[in-house]
Amino acid sequence: DTGVSQDPRHKITKRGQNVTFRCDPISEHNRLYWYRQTLGQGPEFLTYFQNEAQLEKSRLLSDRFSAERPKGSFSTLEIQRTEQGDSAMYLCASSLATGTSGGTDTQYFGPGTRLTVL
Amino acid sequence: QKEVEQDPGPLSVPEGAIVSLNCTYSNSAFQYFMWYRQYSRKGPELLMYTYSSGNKEDGRFTAQVDKSSKYISLFIRDSQPSDSATYLCAMSLSGTYKYIFGTGTRLKVLA
């Protein structure tokens, strides 16, 4: 078990450019989550997948943001036409569905991708 | 008003002290309560996971949930300099999978 991995760890881009981040969850984890964390704040939920289906999206996820998990394994988060306000740490987490209705899963986080938009 | 409130600190304590970290929340429907530790520029690391009210102990860490007061706590016994980090509380509703986090409390344990 190598844990959740994210790539790249750091990304510096100019305003208006597109960026894409990748997340590899813990193997056999069927749920995958994206969060955004700005300085001095806790992580804020963006979206989550169960297998390849995107089941919930936050209002924070504007139409410039798109996330995919095409084969139910790794996931990508793309930001188009980046803005300075997009500068943040983008965290990915994964969990194993417990199979019980009404429960919640334990989420394990990756190291994050730190995005700086100049 | 945020759903989850947490004092940002910093909280400075001497090595060996008992540390008390707290969160309050407004949504009485929260059922699951988590504590994460986050070192600078790293991802959050799960410390404790509790369901509903009560206490849970794991080594030097004890988590308490008081749903009647909408208040949760994390106690760290015999604190070490390596415990210096930001501690995040998180909560979720039954049947949902997104976590709502507090802002985090920055802890410094002085050698």
Side-chain angles (χ1 to χ4, degrees), chain B residues 23 26 36 50 64 77 103:
Chain B
C23 287
S26 57
Y36 283 83
T50 54
Q64 285 186 352
R77 289 184 299 281
T103 55

Side-chain angles (χ1 to χ4, degrees), chain A:
Chain A
D1 178 2
T2 57
V4 178
S5 61
Q6 293 186 244
D7 184 70
R9 296 291 307 277
H10 305 274
K11 179 71 178 179
I12 300 174
T13 191
K14 293 182 179 179
R15 186 163 51 97
Q17 298 294 304
N18 299 345
V19 294
T20 300
F21 310 140
R22 176 180 170 124
C23 171
D24 287 89
I26 294 171
S27 59
E28 298 181 356
H29 277 193
N30 51 2
R31 290 196 178 123
L32 187 148
Y33 313 79
W34 286 98
Y35 289 80
R36 181 174 69 186
Q37 185 177 26
T38 54
L39 198 62
Q41 301 297 315
E44 294 175 292
F45 172 82
L46 293 178
T47 188
Y48 100 91
F49 293 83
Q50 176 149 336
N51 300 312
E52 66 274 11
Q54 188 173 17
L55 296 185
E56 187 171 351
K57 292 196 290 186
S58 163
R59 285 172 295 176
L60 291 174
L61 213 65
S62 75
D63 55 7
R64 297 184 298 105
F65 288 71
S66 62
E68 293 182 343
R69 195 182 183 199
K71 296 183 179 178
S73 57
F74 73 91
S75 175
T76 58
L77 177 68
E78 181 183 16
I79 309 174
Q80 296 183 327
R81 305 180 303 280
T82 52
E83 301 173 356
Q84 288 184 325
D86 297 331
S87 295
M89 172 86 92
Y90 289 85
L91 292 162
C92 176
S94 70
S95 70
L96 180 64
T98 59
T100 56
S101 62
T104 197
D105 302 339
T106 304
Q107 297 180 21
Y108 297 90
F109 282 80
T113 294
R114 182 169 296 279
L115 173 66
T116 302
V117 182
L118 302 176

